């Protein structure tokens, strides 16, 4: 039988493993998560595996199982979300479908047991105990501060939205049939034990969620049981199913997910429109009309295909020589929909500028750097028919935690816009640990003062 490596005090290998592909390096016992920085958090999350090793060998490639026998970490994981938390959460007004799903896997099919309207804890507990239903709690970071703190740091680390769901499953039960997801998945086992089966992807790096029939997926490639303090990672497209073993207490785990719609294909779609827009301004050939009746053709003509191929080659050549890629939506959407920075108290530092008012003689520095994006795009003012380029700064300081990753909830973009002539001065602020206002690359002192005052009012810079 293959061996697994388990972190132990003496760094020795011990115990059997059901699958050799699931790797864990020997190391000393891990400590609770390091929340001082985004990189520190991720390093501690996957400890003892090194970050470089993770991205070289596992990320988007294969699963990673980290089994830890660490009572301190297990206790910390349990504090993130417990079955007993549901009572107080239900008293705050949770609704079926939006906040909670109740389901069970029966004969390979997902059976949804949701009621209508508001969730009542006694009914939820009844379905859990008597129907052995799984309780799925959506986006608990809206209510649980420590998950907010973790996921906000991970959004900074990945530069991508990070959502989560909690699954609470009674003994001898399974909530979901075999399926794969369109996200990178990190599973933290919080309470009890969960038996997992992972299968080779039928669609590697899948772009959508899908169920898979048992007769299509074959035998598990990996099979193991998670205990509190353990972590499991697997790439999008990995087919999986999990159940709580019989004879044990319930299982609670949180699934932390990221990188939805964050592929090179998505980025290409996002930037190509701006590239075409700019190129058409400079090249009359792109502004020439398409052949008459082209849109009426059943199939694209060979002439049109050759023309488009030539244009794509021209765009590729232009792309090689530019550093100004225009993001149409991805940067803005990320800034709009992510979590606000974690704070304790009323969060006044995120909405009310503090400290000294910046002036021409001030030295300033950017703050909340990981929560701010800078992009260039056409003027979005409908009254401006010239559609001149503008510099946009979007940030998440005023985002609402209670709507994070809820999809149908309305979100609002927060930020500033400046003329394109301000781009060099903004890059100076972005690329410096601190800079004198006098040294900003703008024509007049009034422009310099106006720029830093706008950024200060939005809580994006401080005087040092």
């Amino acid at each position: 039988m293959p061996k697994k490596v388990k972190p132990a005090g003496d760094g020795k290998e011990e115990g059997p493993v059901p699958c050799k592909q699931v790797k864990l390096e020997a190391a000393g016992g891990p400590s609770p998560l390091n929340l001082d920085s985004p990189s520190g958090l991720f390093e501690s999350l996957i400890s003892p595996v090194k970050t470089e090793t993770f991205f070289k060998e596992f990320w988007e490639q294969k699963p990673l199982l980290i089994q830890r026998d660490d009572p301190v970490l297990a206790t910390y994981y349990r504090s993130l979300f417990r079955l007993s938390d549901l009572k107080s959460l239900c008293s705050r007004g949770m609704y079926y479908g939006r906040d909670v799903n109740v389901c069970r896997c029966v004969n390979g099919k997902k059976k949804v047991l949701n009621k209508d309207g508001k969730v009542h804890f006694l009914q939820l507990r009844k379905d859990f105990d008597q129907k052995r239903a799984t309780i799925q709690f959506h986006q608990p970071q809206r209510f649980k501060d420590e998950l907010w703190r973790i996921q906000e740091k991970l959004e900074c680390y990945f530069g991508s939205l990070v959502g989560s769901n909690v699954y609470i499953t009674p003994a001898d039960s399974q909530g979901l049939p075999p399926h794969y997801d369109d996200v990178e998945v990190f599973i933290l086992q919080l309470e009890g034990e969960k038996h997992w089966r992972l299968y080779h992807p039928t669609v590697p790096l899948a772009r959508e969620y899908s169920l898979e029939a048992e007769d299509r997926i074959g035998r598990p490639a990996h099979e193991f049981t998670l205990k509190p303090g353990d972590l499991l990672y697997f790439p999008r497209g990995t087919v999986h199913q999990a159940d709580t073993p019989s004879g044990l207490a319930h299982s609670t785990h949180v699934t932390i997910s990221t990188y939805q719609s964050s592929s090179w294909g998505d980025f290409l779609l996002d930037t190509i429109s701006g590239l075409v827009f700019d190129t058409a301004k400079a090249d009359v050939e792109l502004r020439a009309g398409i052949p008459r009746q082209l849109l009426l053709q059943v199939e694209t003509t060979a002439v049109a295909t050759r023309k488009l191929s030539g244009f794509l080659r021209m765009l590729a050549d232009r792309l090689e020589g530019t550093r100004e890629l225009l993001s149409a939506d991805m940067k803005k959407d990320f800034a709009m929909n992510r979590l606000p920075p974690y704070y304790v108290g009323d969060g006044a530092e995120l909405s009310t500028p503090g400290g000294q008012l910046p002036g021409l003689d001030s030295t300033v520095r950017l703050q909340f750097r990981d929560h701010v994006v800078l992009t260039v795009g056409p003027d979005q003012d409908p009254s401006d028919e010239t559609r001149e380029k503008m510099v946009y700064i979007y940030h998440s300081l005023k985002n609402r935690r209670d709507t994070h990753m809820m999809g149908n909830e309305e979100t609002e973009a927060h930020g500033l816009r400046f003329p394109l002539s301000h781009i060099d001065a903004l890059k100076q602020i972005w690329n410096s640990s601190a800079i004198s206002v006098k040294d900003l690359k703008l024509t007049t002192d009034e422009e310099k003062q106006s720029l830093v005052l706008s950024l200060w009012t939005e809580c994006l810079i401080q005087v040092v």
Side-chain angles (χ1 to χ4, degrees):
M1 177 178 285
K3 305 286 284 185
K4 77 176 172 187
V5 182
K6 197 173 181 181
D10 57 5
K12 294 181 181 178
E13 295 188 4
E14 56 179 64
V17 70
C19 50
K20 63 183 178 182
Q21 292 96 328
V22 180
K23 174 185 175 185
L24 180 60
E25 299 173 352
S31 60
L33 303 182
N34 172 9
L35 290 154
D36 293 338
S37 68
S39 59
L41 167 60
F42 190 73
E43 287 169 9
S44 63
L45 188 69
I46 63 168
S47 173
V49 175
K50 303 300 182 186
T51 303
E52 182 181 355
T53 301
F54 174 78
F55 284 104
K56 183 178 179 181
E57 298 184 15
F58 297 98
W59 178 253
E60 295 191 330
Q61 298 170 66
K62 61 184 179 182
L64 170 66
L65 170 66
I66 300 179
Q67 292 179 305
R68 302 166 168 131
D69 186 11
D70 185 337
V72 174
L73 192 65
T75 299
Y76 173 76
Y77 272 24
R78 286 190 196 99
S79 73
L80 298 177
F81 200 107
R82 299 181 176 93
L83 171 63
S84 56
D85 291 334
L86 289 173
K87 187 173 184 179
S88 61
L89 286 168
C90 287
S91 70
R92 298 172 66 166
M94 302 294 119
Y95 287 84
Y96 286 103
R98 185 190 73 179
D99 304 297
V100 172
N101 273 336
V102 180
C103 59
R104 189 170 178 211
C105 179
V106 180
N107 299 323
K109 305 287 185 183
K110 178 181 176 180
K111 184 177 182 181
V112 179
L113 304 172
N114 286 356
K115 305 294 187 290
D116 292 327
K118 189 177 287 190
V119 179
H120 297 283
F121 175 72
L122 291 178
Q123 179 64 56
L124 194 63
R125 190 65 204 241
K126 184 178 177 182
D127 289 338
F128 181 79
D129 292 332
Q130 298 181 9
K131 297 181 180 179
R132 301 213 310 279
T134 288
I135 300 168
Q136 179 187 13
F137 193 93
H138 299 150
Q139 310 304 335
Q141 71 277 8
R142 296 176 293 149
F143 309 102
K144 302 292 286 183
D145 286 355
E146 197 67 4
L147 283 173
W148 169 24
R149 196 176 173 197
I150 290 170
Q151 288 173 236
E152 176 255 310
K153 286 280 194 299
L154 289 177
E155 286 186 333
C156 294
Y157 184 75
F158 285 110
S160 181
L161 296 176
V162 176
S164 69
N165 286 313
V166 165
Y167 296 87
I168 308 174
T169 303
D172 194 26
S173 185
Q174 180 169 332
L176 300 172
H179 66 281
Y180 59 78
D181 298 300
D182 58 347
V183 285
E184 300 295 300
V185 170
F186 295 86
I187 288 159
L188 281 57
Q189 185 68 23
L190 310 183
E191 293 183 305
E193 299 182 8
K194 201 70 173 278
H195 168 238
W196 284 84
R197 285 168 284 172
L198 307 185
Y199 306 80
H200 291 302
T202 53
V203 182
L205 300 183
R207 290 180 56 84
E208 56 191 16
Y209 167 94
S210 180
L211 298 175
E212 283 285 22
E214 290 265 12
D215 58 3
R216 177 173 150 83
I217 57 179
R219 293 173 59 83
H222 311 294
E223 189 168 4
F224 46 81
T225 298
L226 292 184
K227 297 179 180 180
D230 292 348
L231 177 141
L232 170 64
Y233 158 80
F234 52 81
R236 54 196 187 277
T238 303
V239 181
H240 57 279
Q241 60 179 324
D243 61 274
T244 303
S246 59
L248 298 173
H250 67 273
S251 162
T252 304
H253 76 263
V254 61
T255 296
I256 296 176
S257 57
T258 190
Y259 257 63
Q260 186 176 47
S261 301
S262 297
S263 68
W264 278 113
D266 295 302
F267 189 63
L268 181 62
L269 284 171
D270 186 54
T271 55
I272 197 76
S273 59
L275 186 62
V276 172
F277 183 83
D278 278 357
T279 308
K281 274 188 170 183
D283 195 306
V284 69
E285 198 176 355
L286 265 177
R287 301 200 300 273
I290 60 175
R292 288 181 299 106
Q293 300 188 344
L294 178 65
L295 303 182
L296 297 176
Q297 303 296 322
V298 176
E299 295 180 344
T300 306
T301 65
V303 172
T305 301
R306 281 197 301 272
K307 198 77 170 174
L308 288 174
S309 297
F311 285 141
L312 287 172
R313 280 188 283 271
M314 179 175 70
L315 291 172
D317 291 340
R318 182 181 177 92
L319 188 59
E320 290 284 346
T322 184
R323 296 179 64 184
E324 299 295 344
L325 268 184
L326 304 186
S327 173
D329 296 307
M330 286 180 75
K331 282 191 171 186
K332 180 180 178 181
D333 286 349
F334 175 48
M336 280 177 61
N337 293 294
R338 62 184 297 194
L339 283 163
Y342 176 78
Y343 59 83
V344 177
D346 61 4
E349 67 272 22
L350 304 181
S351 57
T352 306
Q356 182 184 340
L357 190 75
L360 197 59
D361 296 321
S362 301
T363 298
V364 298
R365 72 170 182 88
L366 186 68
Q367 58 180 359
F368 302 109
R369 179 184 297 274
D370 289 338
H371 283 267
V372 189
V373 298
L374 188 152
T375 187
V376 175
D379 193 343
Q380 296 167 11
D381 184 351
S383 64
D384 184 0
E385 296 181 0
T386 62
R387 300 280 284 166
E388 290 296 320
K389 282 188 193 175
M390 302 288 288
V391 185
Y392 289 90
I393 294 171
Y394 299 109
H395 65 80
S396 59
L397 273 57
K398 299 174 185 174
N399 285 6
R400 290 174 53 190
R401 171 192 176 191
D402 62 331
T403 60
H404 184 243
M405 299 297 289
M406 292 305 288
N408 56 354
E409 302 280 354
E410 284 195 15
T411 54
E412 178 184 357
H414 302 288
L416 300 164
R417 68 173 190 164
F418 298 98
L420 190 60
S421 58
H422 286 49
I423 186 70
D424 288 337
L426 287 165
K427 286 181 177 179
Q428 284 179 281
I429 295 172
W430 252 250
N431 296 330
S432 305
S433 56
I435 188 165
S436 169
V437 176
K438 284 180 180 176
D439 294 336
L440 292 175
K441 294 179 181 177
L442 287 168
T443 307
T444 67
D445 289 346
E446 288 77 12
E447 286 180 320
K448 296 174 184 179
Q449 287 182 296
S450 176
L451 173 63
V452 294
L453 186 58
S454 296
L455 293 171
W456 180 82
T457 303
E458 204 73 7
C459 302
L460 299 180
I461 61 169
Q462 61 180 184
V463 177
V464 294

